[in-house]
């Protein structure tokens, strides 16, 4: 006789073997979202300094030139009369040497430091201005004389600078003071012309893009759900010549890649004169084959023929039966499909780019791609726009997650 299984002998280990990998996998899938979220709040000056939150203290030093700059200004004392003195240990060495020589650098801040002297009359090496800005350069740290003499010898490598002690850091070693809402301010309030800062802000057009996305996703989701439910209801409950052929056509269309339909769909919309219009964008997705087949199966399992016959005997028409009986019976499936369709339309990137040619009609997904400049890319603005595009659908999913799960599990348990 076989003994107890591993699950029964070691239940905790069996659960850990299942849940620990699943938890790790879930955390790994959240890494891109964490990078997106953190990058949306980082200023452009330190965008590439860290993959997530900015790393650094109050000061930073250029390893190659020794330029000392004040970085996280939130670590400075606040107030008009605030003052502080900092002693930094800067290490300097040649690239071809292992020995590092240090130099003490004194930095002052506050009204008393304006004359570059501390309270004891000793001079400061650098003075932080009363109104500092992020990444403001204070000056260049001079290398020790021994390093300078060694650097003058033939074959000597370049000098490398680093701060070893005395640099105040933020909590957990992160530069929290560098996080800013500047990207969102420029996104919603408009960008400032660097040539004329006093000129009115130039609108980015995000509000129009958001309205376009809400209109496109809402109308597409409602019409696609209604069309698929009607098609599935007809195939499931009506008996007519050619029904089996239509069933086979619907099933066969499920295996056709969507990319193959781009060219013929574009040509058809061109013949109908529907290019550069939301009608041409929404019309091809009114009755998707996947939705029709999904609702067909749901109607077969959830709507008894006897109830329909009784309703017809009572004088109900087909439309009344569909809206008052059939749809309520498949409400979880309708909610799940509505959410799936809404998310697909909101994130649709290829279709609007092909069909629409007027920038004012672009939905948010396409509009974000237009933020790339001709001579440069504002990554912070793009990350902020992407986060704004994710927020509505994430909120919608959290609100309708019960309907979504119920729709996916509908018919999975009999009884």
């Amino acid at each position: 006789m076989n003994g107890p299984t591993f699950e029964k002998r070691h239940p905790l280990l069996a659960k850990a073997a299942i849940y620990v990998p699943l938890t790790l996998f879930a955390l790994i899938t959240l890494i891109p979202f964490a990078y997106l979220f953190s990058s949306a709040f980082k200023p452009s000056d330190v965008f590439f300094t860290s993959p997530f939150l900015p790393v650094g203290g109050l000061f930073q030093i250029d390893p190659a030139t020794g330029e000392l700059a004040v970085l996280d200004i939130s670590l400075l004392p606040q107030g008009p009369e605030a003052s502080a003195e900092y002693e930094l240990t800067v290490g300097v060495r040649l690239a071809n040497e292992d020995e590092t020589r240090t130099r003490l650098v004194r930095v002052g801040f506050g009204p008393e430091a304006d004359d570059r002297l501390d309270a004891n009359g000793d001079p400061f090496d650098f003075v932080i201005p009363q109104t500092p800005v992020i990444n403001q350069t204070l000056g260049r740290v001079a290398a020790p004389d021994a390093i300078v003499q060694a650097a003058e010898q033939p074959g000597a490598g370049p000098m490398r600078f680093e701060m070893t002690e005395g640099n105040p850091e933020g909590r957990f070693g992160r530069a929290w003071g560098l996080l800013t809402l500047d990207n969102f301010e420029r996104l919603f309030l408009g960008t400032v012309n660097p040539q004329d800062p006093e000129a009115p802000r130039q609108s980015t057009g995000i509000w129009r893009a958001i309205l376009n996305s809400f209109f496109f996703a809402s109308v597409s989701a409602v019409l696609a759900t209604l069309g698929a439910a009607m098609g599935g209801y007809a195939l499931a409950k009506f008996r007519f010549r050619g029904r089996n052929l239509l069933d086979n056509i619907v099933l066969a269309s499920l295996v056709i890649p969507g990319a193959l339909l781009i060219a013929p769909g574009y040509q058809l919309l061109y013949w109908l004169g529907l290019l550069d219009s939301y009608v041409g964008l929404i019309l091809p997705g009114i009755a998707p084959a996947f939705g029709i087949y999904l609702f067909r199966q749901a109607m077969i399992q959830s709507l008894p023929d006897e109830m329909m016959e009784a309703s017809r005997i009572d004088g109900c028409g087909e439309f009344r039966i569909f809206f008052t009986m059939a749809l309520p019976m498949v409400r979880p499936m309708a909610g799940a499909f509505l959410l799936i369709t809404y998310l697909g339309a909101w994130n649709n990137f290829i279709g609007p780019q092909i069909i629409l040619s007027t920038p004012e009609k672009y939905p948010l997904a396409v509009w974000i791609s237009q933020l790339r400049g001709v001579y440069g890319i504002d990554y912070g603005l793009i990350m902020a726009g992407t986060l704004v595009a994710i927020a509505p659908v994430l909120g919608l999913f959290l609100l309708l997650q019960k309907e979504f799960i119920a729709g996916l599990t509908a018919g999975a348990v009999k009884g």
Side-chain angles (χ1 to χ4, degrees):
M1 187 175 67
N2 295 329
T5 61
F6 178 81
E7 291 80 2
K8 292 183 179 180
R9 288 185 287 110
H10 306 284
L12 294 179
L13 291 178
K15 290 183 178 180
I18 295 175
Y19 291 112
V20 169
L22 290 177
T23 303
L24 292 177
F25 181 75
L27 293 176
I28 290 174
T29 59
L30 291 177
I31 290 177
F33 180 76
Y35 175 74
L36 167 66
F37 185 83
S38 62
S39 298
F41 295 93
K42 290 195 297 186
S44 58
D45 293 338
V46 295
F47 192 86
F48 295 103
T49 58
S50 175
F52 294 100
L53 296 175
V55 179
L58 174 58
F59 301 99
Q60 68 175 359
I61 191 168
D62 189 302
T65 64
E67 293 285 348
L68 184 68
V70 56
L71 181 64
D72 188 357
I73 59 177
S74 67
L75 297 178
L76 291 171
Q78 304 299 318
E81 300 299 325
S83 60
E85 298 180 5
Y86 303 96
E87 290 188 352
L88 309 177
T89 302
V90 177
V92 189
R93 65 179 178 86
L94 295 176
N96 59 351
E97 293 184 359
D98 295 331
E99 182 181 0
T100 300
R101 295 175 176 85
T102 61
R103 175 164 188 171
L104 186 66
V105 177
R106 303 180 67 252
V107 183
F109 172 68
E112 296 84 1
D114 288 343
D115 55 1
R116 304 188 70 87
L117 297 176
D118 62 8
N120 298 324
D122 298 325
F124 289 115
D125 295 290
F126 303 99
V127 174
I128 303 174
Q130 286 291 89
T131 56
V133 296
I134 293 175
N135 275 353
Q136 183 171 7
T137 300
L138 303 180
R140 182 173 180 177
V141 177
D145 294 338
I147 288 287
V148 174
Q149 295 174 2
E152 295 175 350
Q153 301 300 320
M159 289 184 290
R160 305 295 294 177
F161 295 81
E162 61 178 353
M163 284 186 292
T164 58
E165 293 181 3
N167 187 18
E169 291 186 352
R171 184 171 297 180
F172 305 115
R174 301 293 169 174
W176 300 99
L178 293 182
L179 301 182
T180 176
L181 295 175
D182 178 65
N183 294 325
F184 295 94
E185 180 181 348
R186 292 186 294 122
L187 191 69
F188 288 102
L189 301 182
T191 57
V192 177
N193 185 358
Q195 305 297 332
D196 187 7
E198 301 299 328
R201 290 175 175 263
Q202 184 178 0
S203 175
T204 58
I206 187 175
W207 294 110
R208 180 64 179 269
I210 292 175
L211 291 177
N212 292 342
S213 288
F214 272 116
F215 172 77
F216 170 52
S218 301
V219 175
S220 297
V222 172
L223 292 182
T225 303
L226 187 60
M230 286 183 172
Y233 173 73
L235 291 178
K237 297 302 177 181
F238 289 169
R239 301 293 184 269
F240 55 89
R241 183 177 298 177
R243 190 185 71 163
N244 292 334
L245 177 62
L246 286 179
D247 284 342
N248 294 331
I249 292 176
V250 171
L251 287 174
S253 62
L254 293 177
V255 300
I256 300 177
L260 295 180
L261 302 177
I262 293 178
Y266 181 88
Q267 189 174 23
L268 180 61
L269 293 175
Y270 172 76
W271 288 340
L272 297 175
L274 297 179
L275 292 178
D276 196 24
S277 68
Y278 276 98
V279 176
L281 190 60
I282 296 172
L283 187 61
I286 283 184
F290 173 73
I292 292 175
Y293 184 75
L294 204 65
F295 277 100
R296 173 185 177 274
Q297 298 302 111
M299 294 290 182
I300 292 175
Q301 296 179 7
S302 303
L303 184 60
D305 294 336
E306 293 78 6
M307 293 180 62
M308 297 179 58
E309 294 297 333
S311 300
R312 293 191 180 102
I313 292 174
D314 290 339
C316 289
E318 295 300 331
F319 278 99
R320 185 176 179 183
I321 294 175
F322 174 75
F323 284 104
T324 62
M325 183 180 299
L327 273 184
M329 295 293 287
V330 295
R331 184 175 65 88
M333 181 63 69
F337 186 76
L338 181 70
L339 180 60
I340 293 174
T341 310
Y342 189 93
L343 295 178
W346 182 275
N347 296 319
N348 192 354
F349 180 74
I350 300 298
Q353 277 205 119
I354 295 175
I355 297 173
L356 302 178
S357 57
T358 303
E360 288 75 15
K361 297 180 181 179
Y362 286 158
L364 197 56
V366 179
W367 176 85
I368 292 174
S369 68
Q370 306 300 313
L371 291 176
R372 294 177 298 177
V374 178
Y375 301 105
I377 300 176
D378 193 335
Y379 291 100
L381 199 64
I382 293 177
M383 292 297 181
T386 305
L387 187 61
V388 170
I390 291 176
V393 293
L394 180 61
L396 182 65
F397 178 80
L398 294 177
L399 289 175
L400 300 179
Q401 59 179 332
K402 291 184 179 180
E403 296 288 340
F404 181 71
I405 296 174
L408 293 180
T409 57
V413 179
K414 295 183 180 180

